[in-house]
Amino acid sequence: MGAASDARYSKRMSEVKSKTAKFVMEKADPSCQISFICKGHLVCTIEPKLLSPRKLSQSASMPTEINWQNVLPRNSSFDVLNLRGSMTPEFPQSLIRPSRLPSDLLSTNSNDVFEVRSLQEPSLDSQGSTHEQDTIAGVCAKLQAALADVTKYGVRFNEEICKREKSEMNQALLIKKDEETISALIKEKQEMEFLHKQETKMFRRQLDLLQEENKKFKEERDIAVKEEALHKQKINMVQNQLGLLQEENKKLQKERDNAIKEAEELRGSAGRGSHVSFSEFLVLDLQQATKNFSNSYKIGEGGFGSVYKGFLHNTMVAIKMLHPQSLQGKPEFEQEVAVLRTMRHPNLVTLLGICSEKSALIYEYLPNGSLEDRLACQGGTPPLTWQIRTRIIGEICCALMFLHSHPNRIVHGNLKPENILLDANLVSKLSDFGISRLLMETNSNTLVYHTEYPRGTFAYMDPEFLSSGELTVKSDVYSFGITILRLLTGKSPIKIAADVEDAIETDSLHLIIDKSAGDWPFVQAEQLANLGLRCAQVRKRKRPDLENEWKLVESLMQTASLSVSPSFTSQLDDKGIPSYFMCPIFQEVMKDPHVAADGYTYEAAAIKDWLDSGRKTSPMTNLPLSHQELTPNYTLRCAIQAWLLKHS
């Protein structure tokens, strides 16, 4: 058998080193001869001790060799793994029993082999009994057969053990993998549980925060609901108060109107120079009328401010809002109120009321806009005919004569087509009295207004007013002359007087008159051109008085089948009474004129009887009336009373 393990091998080794070899040396049967080898070299030999010399010599001739591999310890669950070798038939059965090794020898090298040489006593002599030889031969044969079976079963057993070890190794690997997998899963589970705990904590915190926020939100919502309920109650209270105030305001206005009416009736007259009353509106009234000054209600805008249309007291009105931050806004507002407070005229825009808080002026609404818009055919409107243009010239001349003959001698100061408005019937009305002035007499008995800062539109401004700062009635005459030439030619006001003068001198006036107005009668066109040039003279002393030119203007209007009187009227009946002083129903001069929903003015008693009889249509148009409200026409009433006073 092997004498040493591979780790202890040495060529000079003289004694056994392997634990297995040492164990065999101690435990082997004394009759065994054991040779210890290592790598083919004999290290030492143990001779048998109990055999007689005869038996020893006999066994030498019949050597028997048994090689065991992987000897297992006693009390182990495994037997001999491999058994190889041979023995003589004479070797007794008790001497070939394999020894079991202790467990501490399991680590011996598998290459260790021990040899057992047994010597049997030879037979008594060569001439022994044949029967005894046969018995020994049978025993040997049986032993050899048993040894072959043992060897065969040992090989199978060894294979099974190898398979089992391999299977156990595979199972161990699988178990190890399973343990690693289980360990990884346990670790992952622990990590997931840790993350889950962390997420649960975080979610609980978020849930707590959300619950707190929800609680705060509910509290705020409850507070908001309570505040909203209180706000609604306040709104209802304010609306109720507003309704009461509006009712009271209407009552006060009616009482004031009745008081004014009674006062006028008691005085019996209302002439030029007397103050005309008008309404004082609240800011809330203007906001309601214009939908809080919506852009959709805005109809004009300029340096003075903005103009809105609105509906006040069942009447369509125009609301002029002056710029409060403008240095000229407040003075212009006060000046216009001062001028329009003292007069009424059919060809002057009617001031219905004011709002002092917002520096707002409330006028009658004129749907056809300005004369400048109509000359430009803005909005696709048709051009004005020469008849209408001639009538407008007469109406503006009439309005200027009214202003200039006023006891305070009023100069408009900013006459131009943009400040001439047209109503639904294209009747012209002069507006924008923001820079108009009341004239004072100088030492030379000349009515004049002095200023260091002339204001107006350059193309229509009096050249002498620009140079000297003296504003007179002749300044309006110059602006009127440029306006006449514009209506005649439709050209720009810049250098228009020079162009018309050149055309007259070269007999080419027919080439520059506005053909869109129709076929102008040449004589009338030439008369208007000459009138415009006389009024537009550079020197004011060369400009005519409008009263001296009125007959020419009146004849031109008659040629155009229109008639305008310089005394408040546009048409007169056979008795010389203005036609619009007459009630359409009674056909009498009105004492208390009121405007109905159709826009026409009637005697109050007449239109009330008409409506009380159950009629719901207009006496003039026979169209349905949108409402049955009546609005007093103070302007017309004052004009009627002034006319009656003059002709009494």
Side-chain angles (χ1 to χ4, degrees):
M1 66 175 302
S5 62
D6 292 341
R8 294 189 174 188
Y9 165 67
S10 175
K11 290 183 178 181
R12 297 181 180 180
M13 186 173 60
S14 59
E15 60 182 2
V16 295
K17 300 292 184 181
S18 172
K19 292 181 180 181
T20 304
K22 290 179 180 180
F23 179 80
V24 171
M25 288 176 66
E26 295 175 359
K27 303 296 183 179
D29 195 283
S31 63
C32 295
Q33 179 184 359
I34 305 173
S35 297
F36 294 95
I37 62 175
C38 185
K39 300 295 183 180
H41 298 281
L42 179 63
V43 176
C44 64
T45 302
I46 299 176
E47 298 296 337
K49 296 179 180 180
L50 300 178
L51 295 178
S52 64
R54 182 171 174 270
K55 290 181 180 181
L56 181 60
S57 62
Q58 189 175 2
S59 63
S61 61
M62 297 175 58
T64 300
E65 186 175 301
I66 299 175
N67 293 329
W68 289 355
Q69 201 173 28
N70 297 331
V71 179
L72 298 178
R74 184 172 295 162
N75 298 327
S76 173
S77 60
F78 298 92
D79 287 327
V80 178
L81 299 177
N82 190 13
L83 180 64
R84 65 181 179 177
S86 63
M87 61 178 60
T88 59
E90 295 84 1
F91 197 86
Q93 182 69 26
S94 61
L95 296 179
I96 64 173
R97 184 179 68 249
S99 300
R100 296 184 180 273
L101 303 181
S103 60
D104 59 347
L105 299 179
L106 286 174
S107 62
T108 57
N109 193 346
S110 63
N111 294 326
D112 292 343
V113 178
F114 67 88
E115 296 180 358
V116 181
R117 296 194 180 196
S118 301
L119 296 179
Q120 295 282 352
E121 292 183 359
S123 58
L124 297 175
D125 54 27
S126 59
Q127 295 176 0
S129 172
T130 304
H131 177 72
E132 184 179 355
Q133 291 180 355
D134 292 338
T135 301
I136 293 171
V139 171
C140 289
K142 290 180 181 180
L143 286 173
Q144 288 178 353
L147 182 62
D149 292 338
V150 169
T151 303
K152 181 176 66 175
Y153 287 117
V155 171
R156 291 181 182 178
F157 185 75
N158 188 34
E159 291 177 355
E160 291 295 328
I161 291 300
C162 291
K163 290 181 181 178
R164 185 175 296 178
E165 286 182 349
K166 188 175 181 180
S167 176
E168 288 178 353
M169 289 178 64
N170 292 333
Q171 289 180 357
L173 290 175
L174 291 175
I175 291 172
K176 185 177 181 180
K177 289 183 180 179
D178 291 341
E179 289 177 351
E180 292 176 353
T181 304
I182 293 172
S183 178
L185 290 174
I186 292 173
K187 186 176 180 181
E188 184 178 357
K189 181 180 178 182
Q190 291 175 349
E191 292 178 354
M192 292 294 293
E193 288 178 352
F194 177 76
L195 292 175
H196 180 69
K197 289 180 180 179
Q198 295 295 326
E199 290 179 354
T200 302
K201 290 180 180 179
M202 183 178 66
F203 289 151
R204 285 178 179 175
R205 291 176 183 175
Q206 293 180 353
L207 181 61
D208 293 339
L209 293 175
L210 289 175
Q211 288 177 349
E212 291 179 0
E213 291 180 357
N214 188 28
K215 185 177 180 181
K216 292 181 180 178
F217 175 75
K218 288 181 178 179
E219 292 176 355
E220 293 176 355
R221 184 190 62 185
D222 294 339
I223 294 173
V225 170
K226 293 179 181 178
E227 291 180 351
E228 183 179 2
L230 293 175
H231 184 63
K232 287 182 178 179
Q233 292 179 358
K234 291 180 180 179
I235 290 176
N236 293 331
M237 292 175 61
V238 171
Q239 288 178 347
N240 293 333
Q241 293 178 355
L242 179 61
L244 295 175
L245 290 175
Q246 289 178 345
E247 292 295 330
E248 292 180 1
N249 187 29
K250 289 182 180 179
K251 291 180 180 179
L252 291 175
Q253 287 181 349
K254 289 182 179 180
E255 292 177 359
R256 185 198 61 189
D257 295 341
N258 294 331
I260 292 173
K261 180 179 178 181
E262 292 177 359
E264 290 175 350
E265 290 177 353
L266 290 174
R267 287 195 302 266
S269 64
R272 299 166 72 184
S274 61
H275 288 274
V276 179
S277 62
F278 43 76
S279 301
E280 174 73 37
F281 292 97
L282 302 175
V283 177
L284 182 61
D285 296 331
L286 304 187
Q287 290 176 342
Q288 292 177 346
T290 60
K291 302 297 181 184
N292 200 20
F293 303 105
S294 171
N295 288 331
S296 60
Y297 282 73
K298 185 182 289 187
I299 58 176
E301 187 170 9
F304 58 85
S306 303
V307 181
Y308 299 85
K309 66 178 179 180
F311 202 71
L312 276 175
H313 297 171
N314 302 318
T315 303
M316 186 65 71
V317 297
I319 302 172
K320 181 178 179 181
M321 304 288 295
L322 299 178
H323 284 314
Q325 65 274 17
S326 173
L327 296 177
Q328 299 296 330
K330 195 67 175 178
E332 288 183 9
F333 169 77
E334 295 175 351
Q335 179 66 24
E336 189 152 2
V337 172
V339 171
L340 294 179
R341 183 189 293 272
T342 61
M343 69 188 89
R344 286 288 188 269
H345 189 273
N347 298 120
L348 299 180
V349 66
T350 303
L351 181 65
L352 301 177
I354 64 173
C355 178
S356 302
E357 183 179 354
K358 284 289 186 179
S359 297
L361 301 168
I362 295 87
Y363 299 100
E364 61 176 324
Y365 178 69
L366 303 175
N368 277 313
S370 68
L371 178 60
E372 182 68 31
D373 295 339
R374 299 289 71 77
L375 290 177
C377 298
Q378 188 174 4
T381 56
L384 298 175
T385 64
W386 67 270
Q387 292 94 336
I388 294 176
R389 298 186 190 201
T390 303
R391 176 171 59 83
I392 289 173
I393 291 172
E395 291 170 350
I396 298 305
C397 181
C398 179
L400 290 177
M401 287 191 298
F402 174 77
L403 293 175
H404 297 167
S405 62
H406 192 274
N408 293 326
R409 293 297 184 101
I410 298 173
V411 177
H412 186 276
N414 195 21
L415 177 63
K416 57 181 179 179
E418 290 181 0
N419 291 332
I420 298 173
L421 304 180
L422 303 176
D423 67 4
N425 297 318
L426 296 178
V427 175
S428 61
K429 293 177 181 289
L430 190 57
S431 67
D432 195 357
F433 291 84
I435 62 173
S436 60
R437 292 292 180 265
L438 303 177
L439 302 184
M440 299 179 295
E441 291 188 3
T442 63
N443 295 331
S444 58
N445 295 327
T446 302
L447 295 173
V448 64
Y449 172 80
H450 291 275
T451 180
E452 295 181 359
Y453 305 100
R455 299 174 56 200
T457 304
F458 175 78
Y460 295 91
M461 288 181 67
D462 177 10
E464 288 194 355
F465 175 49
L466 285 172
S467 60
S468 64
E470 292 185 355
L471 183 67
T472 66
V473 293
K474 294 297 183 70
S475 299
D476 283 345
V477 174
Y478 178 87
S479 302
F480 178 60
I482 300 298
T483 303
I484 292 174
L485 299 180
R486 280 221 60 200
L487 287 167
L488 180 65
T489 64
K491 295 182 176 296
S492 170
I494 306 297
K495 296 178 60 178
I496 190 173
D499 294 340
V500 173
E501 188 174 3
D502 291 342
I504 291 177
E505 291 178 356
T506 57
D507 294 331
S508 59
L509 179 64
H510 62 284
L511 297 178
I512 66 170
I513 60 177
D514 191 359
K515 301 298 190 300
S516 66
D519 296 330
W520 287 83
F522 180 74
V523 175
Q524 182 165 352
E526 188 175 27
Q527 288 176 338
L528 285 174
N530 288 322
L531 175 62
L533 290 176
R534 288 197 303 273
C535 292
Q537 290 291 321
V538 176
R539 298 295 180 184
K540 63 181 178 183
R541 58 184 179 82
K542 293 183 178 181
R543 301 169 198 160
D545 292 331
L546 294 181
E547 293 180 357
N548 297 332
E549 300 293 336
W550 173 249
K551 290 184 179 180
L552 172 62
V553 173
E554 189 175 22
S555 64
L556 293 175
M557 294 174 67
Q558 289 175 353
T559 303
S561 300
L562 296 172
S563 175
V564 177
S565 171
S567 60
F568 310 102
T569 116
S570 58
Q571 290 183 354
L572 303 177
D573 62 3
D574 297 339
K575 298 180 181 180
I577 302 175
S579 60
Y580 61 88
F581 286 1
M582 307 293 291
C583 174
I585 299 176
F586 286 169
Q587 292 299 317
E588 296 177 355
V589 176
M590 292 180 285
K591 297 180 181 180
D592 188 12
H594 277 65
V595 180
D598 57 359
Y600 288 91
T601 302
Y602 306 89
E603 177 65 30
I607 188 64
K608 287 178 181 179
D609 290 343
W610 175 275
L611 297 175
D612 291 342
S613 63
R615 299 184 179 94
K616 297 182 180 180
T617 58
S618 168
M620 298 295 293
T621 64
N622 201 30
L623 296 175
L625 296 173
S626 59
H627 57 82
Q628 295 187 359
E629 298 290 335
L630 301 175
T631 304
N633 192 337
Y634 299 116
T635 302
L636 183 58
R637 185 168 62 186
C638 292
I640 293 173
Q641 292 175 348
W643 186 87
L644 292 174
L645 178 64
K646 183 177 180 180
H647 293 81
S648 59

